[in-house]
Amino acid sequence: MTNKIKFSLILGIFFTFLSVSLSAQLEKGKLVDGIAAVIGNEIILESDIEEQINYAAQQGTAAANKCQVMESILNNKIVVYEAKRDTLIENRTEAIKENANLKYNQILGQFPDEKTMLAAYKFRTGYEMKTAIEKIDSDQYYGQAKYQSITQKADVTPNEVTDFYNTYKLQLPEVKDEVTLAQISIYPKLTESHKEEIIGRLKKIKQDILNGESFESQARIYSEDPGSAPNGGLMKNISKGQMVKPFEAAALNLQEGEISDPIESEFGYHIIKLERRAGKMYDARHILIATTPTADEIETAKKELDVIKTSIEQGKITFKDAAFKHSDDKRTKFNAGILTDNAGSDRMERLSLSPTLGYQVAGLNKGDITDVFEDELNRRKAVSIVKIEEVIPAHQLTIETDYDRIKQLALNKKRNEMVEKWIKQRIPNIFISIDNRYADCSFQPELKKSILTK
């Protein structure tokens, strides 16, 4: 019999989850959708299955059929259901609900009004859309938490990695063109007169509030924080350590109802009103004026970074040392400026690079450094240079050149097997009902028993 990697492994991890992407999930307004299965008090909708099939096709796994996808989602939902019953997993219901409201407001900020947004996502009400976002985030959190709990002791030996490679090497995907990149980014510095102008605006807003205007209305009008401005600047249930230090220090030095003077953080200048404080949690409103640089300030930063680039090219300083000394990118400055992808790998596919970054490195070779270009870092204007540290042409995975990647695939497989074994043990103790449209699917016997008869 030919060995095959299971569908879930081809997708990269056991949990593909229902939240492939927020926009894809919201697109159909799925609250008015057909139910394919019920697991405890969790449900699977027909559109969940269709969207996973579409996602699989986009990832090059179009051969996966509806039954395979259904079984994968059933397994995910069983884990989610059990996770919500697990008292050792922190209950984050309130935090998830609050975060859903923030996401809703962020999406709303991209549309002229709520009606237009709801029409675009095919929801009847804001409540329906918020509920859908909350459901996605809840499944994501609880599923991942339980998955990690089940697989926390998983590990693979070098021999197991080699055995995995020898068994599955003909099925392992080809690696597309990759690059390893290092970056130095700096934020343009505002002139003193520009800073004073921002501080002056906030002082006037504060005085207007003290004179009778509501903080909430002023935040809606003036705040440049897209997440909280539509909600009157309100951020609820903030835990200590969650916010940047200048913000937290200012907020926690206030009495309830008191408003701070303008304070500076990495995002700009704020005035803050402490609404409520209870132990290690607090609610606060803020009005943010972002430190958006002028064209002249950006040009000054470009010249500064160009001088740094010249020093690197002349051998006066290494790129690594220059990144540590000058870069404002906290993610990379302590790691020689090396960029990593979402999985933490420093080898990134060229096709997955952002349009700006892909354009800048196009046609460059190992050791080349881009010209200084305008960029965005943490939602702020920045200027950057990028060095091509390594170029890896497209190739088939081999144990000699891709050991770490193959080890991760082998580890994923072991984790999958641990979770699948755990699921089989749990199925007899869970109410599961599957629509008889899936009666012809070759599910594992335990799931087969759950298919409704006509």
Side-chain angles (χ1 to χ4, degrees), residues 6-12 52-65 68-69:
K6 289 191 176 182
F7 172 66
S8 56
L9 181 60
I10 296 172
L11 285 180
Q52 289 290 353
I53 290 172
N54 292 337
Y55 177 70
Q58 293 167 11
Q59 300 302 305
T61 55
N65 61 44
Q68 289 175 310
V69 175

Side-chain angles (χ1 to χ4, degrees), residues 104-126 129 230:
Y104 179 87
N105 289 329
Q106 288 172 344
I107 297 170
L108 179 58
Q110 301 169 18
F111 292 85
D113 53 52
E114 188 175 44
K115 184 178 179 180
T116 305
M117 177 189 70
L118 294 174
Y121 285 107
K122 298 180 176 63
F123 281 95
R124 295 171 296 180
T125 66
M129 183 167 170

Side-chain angles (χ1 to χ4, degrees), residues 353-423:
L353 299 177
S354 69
T356 298
L357 191 54
Y359 174 79
Q360 293 296 330
V361 303
L364 299 185
N365 300 309
K366 180 178 178 179
D368 290 345
I369 301 176
T370 66
D371 292 331
V372 179
F373 62 95
E374 290 187 36
D375 201 3
E376 188 172 285
L377 181 64
N378 298 323
R379 295 188 298 168
R380 293 176 59 186
K381 285 280 188 182
V383 295
S384 302
I385 55 173
V386 171
K387 180 183 178 184
I388 289 73
E389 295 285 354
E390 195 66 58
V391 176
I392 305 101
H395 65 280
Q396 200 70 33
L397 285 173
T398 69
I399 199 78
E400 294 79 18
T401 60
D402 305 281
Y403 180 86
D404 288 343
R405 188 171 296 185
I406 294 169
K407 179 181 178 181
Q408 189 59 51
L409 288 171
L411 182 58
N412 284 345
K413 181 176 182 294
K414 177 171 278 192
R415 287 170 174 162
N416 293 350
E417 290 168 348
M418 292 173 69
V419 174
E420 288 167 351
K421 180 179 178 181
W422 178 89
I423 287 171

